[in-house]
Amino acid sequence: MIKQNKSIAIIGSGFSSLSAASYLAKAGYEVTVYEKNATLGGRARQYVKDGFTFDIGPTWYWMPDVFEKFFADFGKKPSDYYQLEKLSPAYEVYFGKGDSIVIPDNFKEICEVFETVEPGSSKPLMKFMNSARDNYEIAVNKMVYKPGVSPLELVSSETVVRVNQFFSTIRKQVRKKIRNHKLIKILEFPVLFLGAKPSNTPSFYNFMNYADFELGTWHPKGGMYEVVKAMVALAKSQGVNFVTNAAVEELVLSDKATVGGVKINGKHIEADLVLSGADYHHTETLLPNKLRQYSEKYWSNRTFAPSSLLFYVGFDKKLKNVKHHTLFFDTDFDTHAKTIYDVPSWPKEPLFYASFPSITDASFAPDGKEAGTFLIPLAPGIEDTPELREHYFKLIMKRLEDLTEQEVMSSVIFKESFCVNDFVRDYNSYKGNAYGLANILTQTAFLRPKLKSKKVENLYFTGQLTVPGPGVPPSLISGKVVSDLILKNA
């Protein structure tokens, strides 16, 4: 416990901030979370219109064990707050008109699907999954809870024998024995959650395939925002205070290089420590130049995970031939990926993802209607105009119609969009990125931006630009890791 009641101001109320807030309050800190927007949850907000509900941000619930560990640290279970349902099937992937593969909710049936598509493929798949299972055990139960302070954190008996996996790639590993292009796409898909190309992602990260095929895809009844509400309720039970509509304008220094609080609406609010779960680059702009750890050149040279063009669409009928999670991989991924990572530009023929939660959960849409969320991955920092958004909406609606063999455009009641400019406006996101820094070898662990400022005392960071990286479960972990570091330094 903290010897005296030190105060800590947390900037932002995303998953990493909510996680850290509970741990720090439990340890004895007086914790106040300041959120610039009107509602809590950061990027995981909710949009409600005309009886329809949409998760604005994350829609996938993977790695349920990480959520269980988080709540268990407070003597709770996820089921104390929200109800989980395992999706069966997990998702569907379209490769062409009437040409799709449905991924079941258990590994035995997944092997059978692979055998149907490519006879003999289940044997290398099992070998691949054995490696993924072992890597998951090492990564998620050990490595990701390290603070990224030293390269030695990566050195252990388990990682030494797997060192070659850090210098090979998911793409090479997947394509050793699997030949069918559809199965290859399915196996390469999970690393997209890490924000990088399979050709740039170390093969050690195949643990994401274990999360996919073995742990399964889940749905919290009411949506991902129920997880936010659960974490807020938990934080409040630990004594955390929340202030919304509170954009931090400046990090106030108590001396030349020690943070002493935050400035909000022109008012100086004192705090012994400041933890930012907001965009790392933006947070450092709240300091004088000489106290920023990372230059503009540093940020411009990083490999960022994608931004996104999102549409939230209300349909006046139930849609056919789609699942709760549906992926449209009927165009070339490598060509699309070049427009994200190599030559930032709008893709001519984008892959896209769609979520229809009202298939599983009636609370998302009025009776007989469908709620659809659509996502196109994009390069951060590209031009974003109403005309471009409209063009791509028509493009993916036409693809949806063709691939699923149904008419949908005339059934659109309304649509709302969210893209690069909105990520900048709502979240101060660097170049409007949606997922933070990509998890490539040169941006892993100790090579990511530090949790503790090297130039300003009592200033810490958490979230998708620090360790362990992008995604909801890593954000929960990031909150725990930074709180452990703060307590260690207390």
Side-chain angles (χ1 to χ4, degrees):
M1 296 289 287
I2 301 302
K3 291 178 183 176
Q4 54 185 353
N5 283 341
K6 284 190 174 181
S7 60
I8 184 162
I10 298 182
I11 306 172
S13 65
F15 285 113
S16 58
S17 292
L18 294 175
S19 170
S22 288
Y23 284 113
L24 291 165
K26 182 185 176 185
Y29 276 100
E30 292 180 355
V31 181
T32 304
V33 174
Y34 297 97
E35 167 57 52
K36 78 180 285 287
N37 293 306
T39 56
L40 300 172
R43 296 169 195 235
R45 294 181 296 159
Q46 196 176 57
Y47 173 58
V48 179
K49 180 174 180 176
D50 298 343
F52 291 84
T53 300
F54 305 87
D55 282 316
I56 290 179
T59 55
W60 291 78
Y61 192 104
W62 269 11
M63 302 165 70
D65 52 322
V66 174
F67 296 87
E68 288 163 11
K69 281 181 192 173
F70 169 74
F71 285 106
D73 283 342
F74 302 90
K76 298 290 185 180
K77 303 186 295 294
S79 58
D80 292 330
Y81 299 97
Y82 54 88
Q83 188 180 333
L84 275 179
E85 178 181 349
K86 192 176 187 184
L87 295 183
S88 180
Y91 53 89
E92 183 171 14
V93 186
Y94 270 91
F95 300 97
K97 184 174 183 178
D99 178 12
S100 70
I101 293 178
V102 175
I103 300 300
D105 71 342
N106 66 86
F107 186 56
K108 181 178 178 291
E109 289 184 32
I110 291 169
C111 287
E112 292 169 3
V113 168
F114 269 58
E115 278 294 321
T116 302
V117 177
E118 182 183 332
S121 62
S122 64
K123 191 172 180 180
L125 175 62
M126 288 178 190
K127 186 176 179 182
F128 177 78
M129 199 54 57
N130 286 336
S131 165
R133 185 182 299 108
D134 291 344
N135 287 348
Y136 190 90
E137 176 64 28
I138 295 161
V140 177
N141 293 325
K142 297 175 183 176
M143 286 175 60
V144 295
Y145 287 92
K146 306 287 187 181
V149 172
S150 163
L152 295 177
E153 292 170 5
L154 296 179
V155 180
S156 69
S157 58
E158 294 108 329
T159 57
V160 166
V161 298
R162 291 170 171 78
V163 68
N164 62 312
Q165 293 188 35
F166 288 91
F167 295 97
S168 183
T169 66
I170 287 285
R171 171 150 291 184
K172 286 179 182 175
Q173 188 183 30
V174 164
R175 297 177 185 225
K176 274 181 183 175
K177 299 287 184 182
I178 306 290
R179 296 284 176 260
N180 183 275
H181 75 96
K182 297 175 188 176
L183 300 184
I184 287 169
K185 283 185 177 182
I186 288 169
L187 286 171
E188 290 183 347
F189 143 68
V191 302
L192 300 182
F193 283 95
L194 300 172
K197 292 190 287 188
S199 57
N200 276 355
T201 305
S203 60
F204 180 78
Y205 283 102
N206 66 5
F207 63 76
M208 291 299 293
N209 295 93
Y210 175 75
D212 178 3
F213 285 177
E214 293 273 13
L215 297 180
T217 303
W218 300 75
H219 171 70
K221 186 171 174 56
M224 288 297 288
Y225 197 65
E226 290 302 309
V227 185
V228 171
K229 292 190 332 194
M231 293 181 72
V232 169
L234 175 64
K236 286 181 177 178
S237 75
Q238 300 298 315
V240 177
N241 297 306
F242 289 91
V243 183
T244 54
N245 298 307
V248 175
E249 300 154 356
E250 184 184 332
L251 293 176
V252 180
L253 302 175
S254 59
D255 63 34
K256 288 183 180 179
T258 304
V259 72
V262 293
K263 183 179 175 184
I264 297 174
N265 298 324
K267 183 183 177 184
H268 174 202
I269 300 166
E270 291 185 359
D272 295 305
L273 288 94
V274 174
L275 168 61
S276 178
D279 180 89
Y280 204 121
H281 168 268
H282 169 74
T283 303
E284 288 216 313
T285 67
L286 305 178
L287 290 165
N289 254 314
K290 63 182 180 179
L291 295 180
R292 298 173 191 174
Q293 304 168 92
Y294 303 106
S295 66
E296 291 297 324
K297 183 179 179 182
Y298 170 88
W299 291 111
S300 66
N301 287 335
R302 297 306 92 190
T303 299
F304 274 82
S307 184
S308 301
L309 170 55
L310 291 141
F311 294 104
Y312 311 103
V313 187
F315 295 97
D316 70 1
K317 67 177 182 181
K318 301 300 287 183
L319 301 192
K320 301 181 300 180
N321 303 327
V322 290
K323 303 295 185 290
H324 183 127
H325 295 300
T326 308
L327 300 155
F328 295 88
F329 285 1
D330 54 309
T331 60
D332 183 61
F333 171 73
D334 289 340
T335 303
H336 185 167
K338 283 177 185 174
T339 68
I340 298 173
Y341 298 103
D342 304 329
V343 185
S345 53
W346 283 84
K348 287 184 179 177
E349 296 183 314
L351 284 73
F352 67 100
Y353 153 72
S355 171
F356 304 100
S358 44
I359 290 174
T360 302
D361 188 338
S363 70
F364 275 82
D367 190 40
K369 297 179 171 58
E370 205 86 270
T373 298
F374 299 84
L375 182 153
I376 302 173
L378 298 173
I382 60 173
E383 181 185 18
D384 171 16
T385 66
E387 292 76 21
L388 281 164
R389 295 188 190 195
E390 186 63 23
H391 168 77
Y392 280 89
F393 179 71
K394 288 177 180 175
L395 186 152
I396 64 172
M397 286 300 110
K398 178 72 167 63
R399 291 250 300 279
L400 175 67
E401 289 184 332
D402 292 344
L403 293 167
T404 63
E405 301 179 86
Q406 65 186 314
E407 202 281 325
V408 299
M409 276 297 280
S410 64
S411 298
V412 173
I413 305 170
F414 66 83
K415 70 174 188 297
E416 296 291 341
S417 63
F418 199 95
C419 196
V420 173
N421 293 345
D422 303 301
F423 281 103
V424 174
R425 181 197 66 211
D426 286 4
Y427 311 127
N428 294 311
S429 170
Y430 180 75
K431 290 188 175 180
N433 81 83
Y435 304 107
L437 284 175
N439 257 341
I440 58 177
L441 183 61
T442 55
Q443 294 178 173
T444 293
F446 68 97
L447 297 173
R448 297 179 75 80
K450 300 302 181 190
L451 293 169
K452 184 180 189 299
S453 174
K454 295 173 288 188
K455 292 190 174 184
V456 180
E457 277 298 306
N458 299 335
L459 175 60
Y460 292 83
F461 299 85
T462 188
Q464 58 189 11
L465 290 171
T466 62
V467 291
V472 177
S475 292
L476 266 65
I477 293 167
S478 184
K480 175 172 174 51
V481 173
V482 76
S483 61
D484 287 345
L485 188 62
I486 289 170
L487 296 175
K488 181 182 175 183
N489 293 333

